[in-house]
Amino acid sequence: MTMRALWKHSLLFRSVAMIVAVSILSILLTVAITVVVTQKRAQEAAATRLNQLVDTVESTVQVACFVGDKTLAGEVAKGLLSNSEVLEVTILADKQELARKRRAGMSQAEADHAPSLTRDIHSPFNPAQVVGSIRIAPDQQNVERSIVEEVRFVALQSGWQLTLLALVMVEAMLLFILHPIKAMSDRLHHMDARAGDRLPGLKGYVAHTEIGRLVDDINTLAGDLVASLEEERTLRLQRETDEKKYHAIFDNAESGIFVLDGEGQVSSCNPAFTRLLGVPGNVASECALRLGKLSWENPLRLAAMIQEALHDNKPVAEDLCLRLEDGASRWLSLILSPIGDNLLQGVAHDVTGLKEAESSAKRLALTDPLTGVANRLGLEARMHALVKNFTFTQRGGFVLMLVDLDGFKGINEGMGRPAGDEMLKVTTSRLAHCVGSGDSVARLAADTFGIVLHGVTRGEDADRVAGCIQQALSQNHFIEGSPVRLHASIGIALFPDDGSDVPTLQRHAELALDKAKAAGGNTAVFFDPAMAEAAEQRRHMENDMRQALRDGDFRLYLQPIVDLRGNHIAGAEALIRWQHPIRGLIPPDAFIPISEQTGLINDIGLWMLDAACAQLAVWEQAGQTLHLSINVSARQIPEGLPPSKLLEALQQHGISPARLALEITEGVLLHDIEKALAWLRAVREMGCRVYLDDFGTGYSSLSYLKHFPVDTLKVDKSFVQDMHVHANERALVEAVVAMGKSLGLDVVAEGVESAQQVQLLREMDCRYVQGYYFSRPVPADDFDIAAARVAALLAVPA
Amino acid sequence: MGFTRYLLAALLALLSALPAASAMADLVVVVNAESGVERLDRDEVINIFLGRYRVFPSGLAALPIDQPANLPLKARFYRKLVNKDLDEINAYWARLVFSGKTSPPRQAASPAEVMAWLAANRGAIGYIERSMVDARLRIVLEFAP
């Protein structure tokens, strides 16, 4: 190794070299200083010694000089020369040389050259008087010798001291620093920190020194590094796993994932995307295709999407339809999100199924599931389309025909729902048969159908179709072997003559249908503006009735019921009149049906109940034990007039329930039998009596009498009035009376108008009668007068 | 008044004593009246008595004479002259005697001999008490009292 290499690589060499260099330098410096100092000191010491030497002889020299005694001076000089340091002595007295003595072997020049000591010599008797001088030249060589000796000594001493110091320092460095570092370095060379290797802790005298701490620090650092590496490795593995995972997701995704530029050029995509597009190429790198070149149904839309996403820098989503090579179409939901650099990241889903389901649902919403024809919404949509078309073209009216099956409820209940459903299907197909291909058939409600006859503007054509329908429906249809024939009520309205918008047209067709049904069914009725007028009147009347209820315009009228057996008034039937502020007194026939249609009957019924109870209370106070019966419409049962309300009214006026009778018709029993029965039982248990009104005009089935708990039958006036003319009627009334008697029911004969009829009824043993003969219905306030008249009539024997 | 008397007496005693003492110590350096020497300063006297130059300023050889050593007069003279005692003077002369270049002043055996030599030698110089001065002698140096 060269010195340079050693210097470069060996710390020890460097340290030793520096120590040696510094030592040599300091030795040289010390010697130099020593030379200077020693020289000075030696000179000074020599001078001192010479001075002392002169001192010892001064008095003698004084004497010698004082008297100019050469002999004495010579002696003194000789004596001084005996000192080895003295080279030459010269004694002068007043410029006269008294003595000059020189060491043998020394030249004059040598003596002159040396720095001599000269001292003035004073008179021994007068210190102020200079009498001579003495000059001593020292032996310079002697001085130099001593200097050399001194320097040699100093050099030697500092030499070995520094050498020793250097050795100790080198050794200390070796021991305390270099060897531990070397050991550490060697150990580090072979140390595998990741395998858990660490530097062994230093022992002994260096354990707690800087080196010891360095070892600890290195170990800590190694630990930290290893930990960091571990962490890094874990992260890398995690990243790789993630990458694989995402790659797998990308490759295996069902959704198409791709990246494209502003020109619609796809730069990368996953296999699902190519599958979705129906283009070849499953490798991601082969995704060089232009989206715009595919056969989109609306290619401009795609370009607009790309522009919008790039321009607005926000995601854009849209469903686009793609025509595949095999002719099928595929709906793709595309979401394009800008990812910067004029690039878009896209996701594509196949939403063909969704789209189909959507359109199917749309169809379903407009279609009746049972019959497969349009439902109300579908028909309305058709009509709206036609109306819209008409407003543009002013051509092409149409006819709305509503077909309601008469008595279909009976079929449904009597033969079961499946049979009813089948009938509806049959009806649908028969209806379809009667209309053209441009027309629409729809099922609007349970047994109501709507037909739109497109292009039909003349009533005759509509009438022809209606006839066809009635003809078709009346054909026998066999269900489980039983022949079933259907009849239909048909309401017809023409567009635009009968209504210029769909709701009006529908309303008018419904009015016509109502009219057809009211006419007994199995008929077709065209809408007539009068119908609308009537409907309008009904609405007016309804409003007026509400007003009347508020204003108290209804009046209570009473018609006495006479007990023929006891010859006295048994009570009365409560009747209602409407004291209209403009139209005057209105009979119940004119407003009760409308009130029944609108539900106002419930309010009117409650008013009636209250008025009747008040009347009963008046009688009660007057001590009259009369009965009062009120009419209850089928619409009021059971919710309109619940037994609790009855009881409440009775208790409010303090009336015994036995005084109040409720007149119902057979119609009550035609609706919900169970509820009607429950209502009947409840009111009878409460103590009220129940009259069956208009007995004989309706079904008057005897089985009803068996099923329904009533107390009294009221024989309809049509039988009573013709009693004395037709034997049949008389026999019928007789039969009713007899039947009532045998069933334990009271019988009231209504419409008695003559004494002859009274006589006949007496003969039949009909106990109660009611009619003009005794009294017309009178205002409640006039009842007493009427009663007095009745009493007068009864008093006259027939 | 007794104290004043004592003080006065003491002062009188002192005054009477001082002239007596000065009279006793009054040394003068004298030369032969015929020598021609009028005055000498102290250094000239020293040079002559201590052997440096044995001539008067006039060129006349000087002959210094010492009083007998057993007389206090000699010691007083050297004390006055160079402020040294006789031992020191003797030691001085001892070094010079060795070389033989010069010699100490002639040693008289008695004051009378001093007087005689002074009178007899024209170049003689000596020291005596003032009271001893006569016409043959001339005072060349007086020591301040």
Side-chain angles (χ1 to χ4, degrees):
Chain A
M1 257 189 187
T2 63
M3 293 288 261
R4 184 185 292 270
L6 272 174
W7 176 263
K8 201 169 172 185
H9 297 295
S10 171
L11 204 55
L12 181 62
F13 177 81
R14 222 185 289 185
S15 308
V16 170
M18 279 179 76
I19 288 168
V20 167
V22 170
S23 298
I24 288 169
L25 263 180
S26 61
I27 287 168
L28 290 176
L29 196 65
T30 309
V31 166
I33 291 168
T34 307
V35 166
V36 172
V37 171
T38 307
Q39 191 159 28
K40 197 161 167 253
R41 271 206 343 245
Q43 295 283 13
E44 280 170 3
T48 306
R49 280 198 303 276
L50 286 180
N51 268 322
Q52 285 169 347
L53 200 60
V54 172
D55 285 347
T56 58
V57 297
E58 187 171 17
S59 57
T60 309
V61 176
Q62 275 182 326
V63 172
C65 286
F66 186 71
V67 295
D69 190 338
K70 287 186 181 177
T71 315
L72 188 58
E75 283 305 314
V76 169
K78 216 159 80 183
L80 286 173
L81 274 180
S82 67
N83 190 307
S84 62
E85 289 183 39
V86 179
L87 193 65
E88 187 190 59
V89 180
T90 309
I91 297 172
L92 299 169
D94 290 343
K95 316 291 185 219
Q96 179 202 354
E97 190 175 282
L98 287 184
R100 182 184 280 264
K101 296 285 182 195
R102 193 186 307 145
R103 187 176 299 280
M106 297 294 166
S107 67
Q108 177 65 42
E110 226 172 335
D112 288 347
H113 182 69
S116 60
L117 171 76
T118 304
R119 192 192 285 187
D120 285 340
I121 298 299
H122 299 270
S123 160
F125 308 107
N126 186 357
Q129 189 186 4
V130 175
V131 292
S133 66
I134 182 164
R135 177 175 168 274
I136 296 178
D139 186 353
Q140 201 60 30
Q141 279 183 337
N142 202 22
V143 173
E144 278 163 10
R145 247 190 330 273
S146 77
I147 289 169
V148 166
E149 260 170 40
E150 179 79 7
V151 166
R152 189 182 295 155
F153 176 74
V154 166
L156 206 65
Q157 189 150 6
S158 40
W160 72 258
Q161 279 176 350
L162 287 171
T163 307
L164 193 65
L165 194 64
L167 282 173
V168 168
M169 282 182 71
V170 167
E171 183 57 29
M173 274 184 65
L174 282 173
L175 204 58
F176 297 141
I177 301 171
L178 290 170
H179 281 161
I181 287 179
K182 179 80 164 59
M184 254 162 62
S185 169
D186 289 348
R187 184 68 201 232
L188 276 172
H189 273 305
H190 301 105
M191 187 175 93
D192 186 358
R194 269 187 277 185
D197 285 359
R198 292 292 181 274
L199 290 179
L202 293 179
K203 290 186 187 68
Y205 49 88
V206 288
H208 301 291
T209 63
E210 291 86 341
I211 299 281
R213 285 205 297 276
L214 184 61
V215 168
D216 292 342
D217 290 346
I218 287 173
N219 281 339
T220 309
L221 188 66
D224 289 350
L225 279 173
V226 168
S228 298
L229 282 171
E230 272 304 310
E231 208 171 321
E232 183 69 22
R233 191 167 152 273
T234 313
L235 281 173
R236 202 181 62 239
L237 287 176
Q238 179 71 38
R239 209 164 49 236
E240 280 169 7
T241 312
D242 285 351
E243 211 162 290
K244 273 182 203 154
K245 209 156 65 191
Y246 287 130
H247 217 264
I249 290 171
F250 182 77
D251 283 344
N252 300 327
E254 283 298 318
S255 305
I257 303 170
F258 57 97
V259 173
L260 81 163
D261 61 14
E263 306 296 315
Q265 179 70 46
V266 176
S267 54
S268 70
C269 67
N270 65 347
F273 187 59
T274 54
R275 275 204 305 279
L276 283 175
L277 295 182
V279 296
N282 283 325
V283 186
S285 59
E286 292 180 6
C287 261
L289 59 93
R290 288 185 85 90
L291 277 191
K293 292 200 169 167
L294 298 169
S295 53
W296 299 98
E297 195 163 76
N298 189 353
L300 292 177
R301 194 49 224 147
L302 176 69
M305 265 181 90
I306 293 172
Q307 285 311 311
E308 192 184 341
L310 285 174
H311 187 262
D312 298 348
N313 196 30
K314 62 174 188 189
V316 175
E318 192 139 346
D319 297 342
L320 295 177
C321 186
L322 181 70
R323 298 240 174 273
L324 298 181
E325 281 180 7
D326 58 6
S329 57
R330 176 174 287 167
W331 278 94
L332 293 178
S333 164
L334 289 183
I335 301 168
L336 300 181
S337 312
I339 52 173
D341 202 17
N342 206 32
L343 287 176
L344 293 170
Q345 186 262 317
V347 180
H349 303 278
D350 185 352
V351 292
T352 311
L354 269 177
K355 286 279 172 187
E356 280 171 359
E358 200 175 284
S359 62
S360 152
K362 216 180 214 167
R363 212 159 48 231
L364 214 60
L366 300 173
T367 309
D368 173 44
L370 176 67
T371 59
V373 296
N375 60 8
R376 180 179 293 277
L377 278 175
L379 192 73
E380 281 174 0
R382 179 85 206 277
M383 285 193 287
H384 279 296
L386 292 174
V387 169
K388 200 172 169 188
N389 190 40
F390 181 82
T391 51
F392 285 129
T393 61
Q394 293 298 320
R395 286 179 58 230
F398 65 93
V399 168
L400 172 62
M401 198 178 270
L402 296 180
V403 180
D404 190 85
L405 301 180
D406 299 332
F408 180 74
K409 196 179 174 191
I411 294 170
N412 232 354
E413 285 173 0
M415 310 185 77
R417 182 128 185 199
D421 286 351
E422 198 188 330
M423 281 311 296
L424 288 171
K425 286 183 195 169
V426 169
T427 302
T428 305
S429 68
R430 288 182 183 176
L431 290 175
H433 212 73
C434 289
V435 301
S437 59
D439 304 332
S440 304
V441 174
R443 181 166 169 243
L444 307 183
D447 56 354
T448 307
F449 293 83
I451 296 167
V452 166
L453 303 173
H454 185 215
V456 175
T457 51
R458 294 191 311 169
E460 304 92 286
D461 299 334
D463 200 27
R464 195 175 38 75
V465 175
C468 169
I469 287 169
Q470 282 174 324
Q471 174 69 31
L473 289 184
S474 64
Q475 301 287 320
N476 267 330
H477 181 76
F478 292 89
I479 291 176
E480 293 171 1
S482 311
V484 177
R485 298 176 76 164
L486 284 173
H487 300 289
S489 302
I490 301 172
I492 302 164
L494 277 67
F495 177 88
D497 297 346
D498 293 341
S500 56
D501 58 66
V502 174
T504 308
L505 197 67
Q506 278 180 296
R507 203 165 58 239
H508 290 170
E510 272 164 23
L511 283 173
L513 178 63
D514 287 346
K515 188 83 178 290
K517 281 200 277 192
N522 199 18
T523 181
V525 174
F526 280 82
F527 170 75
D528 179 342
M531 290 176 193
E533 205 175 305
E536 190 68 10
Q537 275 180 6
R538 273 210 300 279
R539 226 178 64 240
H540 273 299
M541 187 166 279
E542 188 187 339
N543 287 336
D544 286 356
M545 274 192 281
R546 289 185 197 282
Q547 188 69 34
L549 273 171
R550 281 197 293 276
D551 296 350
D553 286 345
F554 289 111
R555 300 283 180 267
L556 179 68
Y557 273 62
L558 300 171
Q559 186 173 34
I561 295 173
V562 178
D563 181 352
L564 288 181
R565 207 177 288 169
N567 262 343
H568 59 86
I569 289 182
E573 179 181 357
L575 297 162
I576 191 169
R577 299 289 187 272
W578 179 5
Q579 189 65 50
H580 196 279
I582 297 162
R583 292 161 63 189
L585 201 64
I586 301 175
D589 309 352
F591 64 89
I592 289 299
I594 297 172
S595 76
E596 283 181 331
Q597 283 173 23
T598 57
L600 263 177
I601 187 68
N602 290 335
D603 297 320
I604 292 171
L606 287 174
W607 178 86
M608 228 12 221
L609 174 66
D610 189 62
C613 288
Q615 183 61 49
L616 280 169
V618 170
W619 287 339
E620 188 83 29
Q621 279 194 329
Q624 293 174 302
T625 55
L626 297 173
H627 295 91
L628 195 56
S629 62
I630 58 173
N631 289 282
V632 177
S633 160
R635 288 291 304 271
Q636 289 174 268
I637 295 172
E639 285 87 6
L641 189 64
S644 60
K645 277 267 171 66
L646 266 174
L647 195 61
E648 191 182 305
L650 288 165
Q651 285 174 347
Q652 194 183 337
H653 292 280
I655 305 300
S656 162
R659 295 291 187 81
L660 187 71
L662 303 167
E663 295 193 14
I664 60 171
T665 62
E666 289 166 336
V668 169
L669 309 172
L670 292 177
H671 295 286
D672 195 328
I673 297 173
E674 291 303 318
K675 280 184 180 169
L677 263 176
W679 186 86
L680 275 176
R681 290 200 186 101
V683 299
R684 291 191 76 226
E685 273 171 28
M686 204 190 295
C688 292
R689 296 166 62 84
V690 176
Y691 294 0
L692 190 56
D693 204 0
D694 300 339
F695 189 75
T697 56
Y699 295 92
S700 299
S701 163
L702 288 179
S703 65
Y704 280 130
L705 291 179
K706 196 177 103 194
H707 284 116
F708 289 95
V710 298
D711 303 288
T712 301
L713 301 175
K714 289 189 86 172
V715 182
D716 192 75
K717 57 185 172 196
S718 59
F719 300 114
V720 176
Q721 279 161 1
D722 296 340
M723 208 166 40
H724 60 284
V725 184
H726 301 292
N728 279 352
E729 264 71 14
R730 195 173 61 199
L732 211 139
V733 174
E734 265 179 332
V736 170
V737 171
M739 185 182 71
K741 211 179 281 178
S742 63
L743 288 173
L745 302 173
D746 284 330
V747 175
V748 178
E750 288 183 289
V752 177
E753 291 176 353
S754 65
Q756 193 183 1
Q757 287 166 349
V758 173
Q759 186 54 43
L760 272 173
L761 289 165
R762 275 188 197 276
E763 286 167 8
M764 288 176 201
D765 196 15
C766 176
R767 186 170 177 181
Y768 298 103
V769 295
Q770 172 187 358
Y772 288 181
Y773 174 72
F774 289 107
S775 174
R776 288 172 169 273
V778 296
D781 294 342
D782 299 342
F783 185 75
D784 287 344
I785 301 165
R789 209 164 64 92
V790 169
L793 280 171
L794 285 172
V796 179
Chain B
M1 289 310 271
F3 172 70
T4 311
R5 197 162 58 234
Y6 282 129
L7 188 63
L8 201 62
L11 278 171
L12 285 171
L14 196 62
L15 284 171
S16 58
L18 281 172
S22 75
M24 184 190 75
D26 200 6
L27 266 176
V28 289
V29 178
V30 295
V31 295
N32 190 303
E34 294 172 10
S35 65
V37 177
E38 298 293 327
R39 284 305 283 188
L40 288 175
D41 61 19
R42 183 184 290 256
D43 280 341
E44 287 167 337
V45 174
I46 289 170
N47 286 342
I48 291 166
F49 270 90
L50 288 158
R52 196 179 184 195
Y53 306 122
R54 287 278 163 85
V55 288
F56 289 114
S58 58
L60 178 71
L63 178 65
I65 303 164
D66 264 339
Q67 293 283 353
N70 53 348
L71 288 180
L73 194 62
K74 186 179 179 181
R76 276 175 58 202
F77 173 71
Y78 281 107
R79 177 63 64 191
K80 290 257 186 198
L81 189 68
V82 291
N83 196 26
K84 290 192 187 297
D85 57 27
L86 287 181
D87 287 344
E88 286 172 313
I89 297 296
N90 290 338
Y92 171 79
W93 281 116
R95 297 178 204 179
L96 289 173
V97 169
F98 168 73
S99 68
K101 186 195 173 227
T102 186
S103 56
R106 183 185 285 186
Q107 183 70 53
S110 64
E113 197 174 25
V114 171
M115 291 302 284
W117 282 346
L118 280 170
N121 296 294
R122 197 169 143 247
I125 182 169
Y127 49 89
I128 58 171
E129 287 191 39
R130 189 182 288 273
S131 58
M132 302 291 285
V133 177
D134 55 19
R136 299 170 295 171
L137 303 176
R138 186 180 291 149
I139 295 172
V140 291
L141 180 63
E142 288 169 305
F143 293 107

